């Protein structure tokens, strides 16, 4: 760990790092950690939340869904602040929506990241699977849906059970299981009408593109990895509790996974294969894998840190600080994570999902 190694204690001190999008309040710990490490935080966001004000050094207002707007504002910032910020040292995001913007900024200012093409492949789930399939990495059969006619073809080609989802999305929004033709048609109509930017700005990217894919039987696991110069190191594997179908509602996680070592080795190997196939070069990543009867299969690869409590869990179980390592990767500093040989603790967490709506009146 960097904090335990005096020789590397100040590596990140004074590094001028662009943060694309601050995210929600639950991401506050990321800015806090970056400040502890001495980074100079240049936040690019459409607004500046009150809770983030004291944690950043510079704020640039920009539309993070428009690459040209972000890049123009960053260029203007450099001109106006050339006495204090001669150049940027890195760019990073911890928000799923902004992986493509991060890559575009890195390409424009010659910073370290994945290429814009790779970023697109890691966000567009259909394109991701097509690349993986071409490179021989096991994943679900799929078909792109642009209209109702495509749905009828997909039903005949792939059959049931199946999963319908947006090509661009996050947090399992509008990911629904279908067991027959009637359900599939109803689901497609529902997600086509509702998975829009009005519901979530992330669907600005989606442009009414949806996927019909085979349903993979098995338990789902998630891996947290660090990739630098094309070399991927799987740090942690967590196990997802069975989701609440048909909407794939997350119910909780277990870390480390309870699978035996041979299975975990296969999971690690397919994650490394997927990263190589997609061309991931420099980033933290969160990869979801189904352990099926025929072996592990890739569900999707996200070129950013896993959300919710996963960062805290990785640090607690394996003593690896993903925020610190992500900042090291984006600034070109070598990864120095020293994962413990055995897990320090075993964790299980569940989400509170009430069966009925109401008001919380007390906790005990």
């Amino acid at each position: 760990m960097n904090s335990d190694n005096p020789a590397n204690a100040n590596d990140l001190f004074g590094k001028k790092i662009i943060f694309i999008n601050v995210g929600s309040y639950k991401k506050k710990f990321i800015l806090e950690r970056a400040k502890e490490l001495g980074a100079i935080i240049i936040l690019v966001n459409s607004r500046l939340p009150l809770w983030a004000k004291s944690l950043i050094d510079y704020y640039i207002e920009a539309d993070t869904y428009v690459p040209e707007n972000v890049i123009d504002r960053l260029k203007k910032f450099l001109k106006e602040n050339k006495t204090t910020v001669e150049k940027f040292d890195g760019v990073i995001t911890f928000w799923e929506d902004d992986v493509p913007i991060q890559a575009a900024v890195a390409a424009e200012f010659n910073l370290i990241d994945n290429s814009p093409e790779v970023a697109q492949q890691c966000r567009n789930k259909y394109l991701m699977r097509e690349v993986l399939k071409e490179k021989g990495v096991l994943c679900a059969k799929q078909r792109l849906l642009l209209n109702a006619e495509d749905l009828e073809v997909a039903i005949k080609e792939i059959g049931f059970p199946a999963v319908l989802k947006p090509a661009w999305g996050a947090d399992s929004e509008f990911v629904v299981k279908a067991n027959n033709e009637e359900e599939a048609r109803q689901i497609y109509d529902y997600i086509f009408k509702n998975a829009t930017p009005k519901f979530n700005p992330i669907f600005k990217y989606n442009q009414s593109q949806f996927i019909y894919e085979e349903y993979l039987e098995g338990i789902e696991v998630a891996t947290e990895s660090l990739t630098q110069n094309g070399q991927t190191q799987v740090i942690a594997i967590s196990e997802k509790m069975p989701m609440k179908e048909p909407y794939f509602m997350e119910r909780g996680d277990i870390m480390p996974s309870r699978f035996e070592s041979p299975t975990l080795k296969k999971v690690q190997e397919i994650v490394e294969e997927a990263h190589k196939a997609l061309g991931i070069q420099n980033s933290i990543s969160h990869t979801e894998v189904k352990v099926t009867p025929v072996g592990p299969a890739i569900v999707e690869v996200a070129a950013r840190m896993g959300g919710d409590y996963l960062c805290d869990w990785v640090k607690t179980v394996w003593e690896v600080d993903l925020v610190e390592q992500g900042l090291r990767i984006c600034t070109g500093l070598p990864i120095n994570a020293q994962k413990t040989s055995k897990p320090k603790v075993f964790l299980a967490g569940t989400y509170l999902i009430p069966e009925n709506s109401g008001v919380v009146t007390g906790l005990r």
Side-chain angles (χ1 to χ4, degrees):
M1 292 287 296
N2 190 44
S3 56
D4 297 330
N5 188 343
N8 295 319
N10 294 316
D11 279 1
L12 286 161
F13 186 83
K15 294 290 185 183
K16 301 171 182 68
I17 303 174
I18 304 164
F19 279 66
I20 307 290
N21 202 329
V22 72
S24 63
Y25 182 78
K26 66 182 181 180
K27 303 284 188 183
K28 183 180 179 182
F29 73 94
I30 295 170
L31 295 184
E32 290 175 334
R33 182 61 181 140
K35 289 301 289 183
E36 287 175 0
L37 293 164
I40 294 173
I41 298 172
I42 303 163
L43 175 63
V44 178
N45 208 19
S46 59
R47 62 184 182 85
L48 177 57
L50 287 175
W51 61 263
K53 271 189 173 182
S54 63
L55 296 170
I56 67 168
D57 298 281
Y58 299 95
Y59 169 60
I60 301 171
E61 183 177 336
D63 186 341
T64 53
Y65 290 95
V66 182
E68 297 80 10
N69 183 238
V70 171
I71 289 168
D72 286 346
R73 295 297 173 89
L74 285 167
K75 287 179 177 178
K76 182 181 177 183
F77 171 83
L78 281 179
K79 286 182 181 178
E80 293 175 349
N81 296 272
K82 57 186 176 183
T83 57
T84 53
V85 182
E86 293 181 10
K87 65 180 182 64
F88 303 121
D89 295 309
V91 59
I92 197 166
T93 188
F94 294 88
W95 201 246
E96 177 73 2
D97 305 32
D98 300 301
V99 169
I101 291 280
Q102 173 185 309
V105 168
E108 179 67 33
F109 294 97
N110 196 29
L111 302 173
I112 294 170
D113 192 32
N114 298 313
S115 71
E117 179 186 11
V118 169
Q120 292 287 328
Q121 291 172 176
C122 291
R123 282 294 298 115
N124 184 324
K125 296 175 175 61
Y126 176 77
L127 182 57
M128 177 193 303
R129 297 261 185 77
E130 290 299 290
V131 172
L132 293 176
K133 184 170 63 176
E134 182 185 332
K135 300 292 176 65
V137 181
L138 185 63
C139 56
K141 297 174 186 175
Q142 65 171 0
R143 186 172 180 88
L144 185 64
L145 306 180
L146 299 177
N147 50 51
E149 288 74 23
D150 290 337
L151 174 64
E152 298 305 318
V153 175
I155 287 172
K156 291 181 174 63
E157 281 186 1
I158 297 173
F160 298 96
V163 178
L164 286 83
K165 63 171 68 168
W168 299 72
D171 294 330
S172 299
E173 290 177 350
F174 300 104
V175 180
V176 190
K177 182 181 179 181
N179 293 299
N180 54 57
E181 292 184 18
E182 183 181 354
E183 284 185 6
R185 294 179 186 120
Q186 289 175 350
I187 291 165
Y188 179 69
D189 183 62
Y190 168 71
I191 64 176
F192 184 87
K193 290 177 180 176
N194 291 283
T196 65
K198 185 177 180 180
F199 181 87
N200 187 334
I202 199 170
F203 294 122
K204 288 181 180 179
Y205 289 113
N206 199 54
Q207 299 180 332
S208 299
Q209 299 177 74
F210 298 91
I211 302 170
Y212 186 101
E213 65 185 40
E214 69 172 319
Y215 175 81
L216 296 174
E217 297 285 351
I219 294 173
E220 188 170 322
V221 298
T223 69
E224 313 309 316
S225 306
L226 301 173
T227 302
Q228 189 167 51
N229 301 323
Q231 299 299 309
T232 296
Q233 180 184 359
V234 176
I235 299 296
I237 303 177
S238 57
E239 182 181 323
K240 291 180 180 286
M241 293 181 180
M243 294 188 190
K244 196 170 183 179
E245 297 178 357
Y247 299 105
F248 297 93
M249 189 179 293
E250 301 264 359
R251 293 179 61 237
D253 304 271
I254 298 163
M255 185 184 288
S257 169
R258 296 168 295 179
F259 279 109
E260 299 290 340
S261 295
T263 300
L264 295 177
K265 184 179 179 183
K266 289 179 181 177
V267 169
Q268 181 174 326
E269 288 171 350
I270 196 171
V271 169
E272 291 170 354
E273 289 171 16
H275 281 56
K276 186 176 180 181
L278 292 168
I280 295 175
Q281 289 293 307
N282 295 285
S283 68
I284 321 174
S285 63
H286 172 79
T287 306
E288 294 173 350
V289 180
K290 265 284 183 78
V291 180
T292 76
V294 296
I298 296 292
V299 176
E300 61 184 63
V301 181
R304 46 82 185 164
M305 188 175 77
D308 294 329
Y309 43 63
L310 286 173
C311 179
D312 178 65
W313 278 25
V314 172
K315 193 169 183 179
T316 303
V317 176
W318 298 109
E319 293 190 346
V320 173
D321 185 337
L322 293 178
V323 173
E324 178 182 348
Q325 298 307 318
L327 296 177
R328 295 183 70 83
I329 291 170
C330 82
T331 54
L333 296 170
I335 292 170
N336 61 358
Q338 296 176 11
K339 178 181 173 181
T340 57
S341 58
K342 293 181 179 180
K344 303 294 287 185
V345 294
F346 294 82
L347 297 173
T350 59
Y351 296 118
L352 175 63
I353 307 174
E355 290 297 325
N356 303 294
S357 62
V359 177
V360 176
T361 58
L363 297 172
R364 64 180 176 87

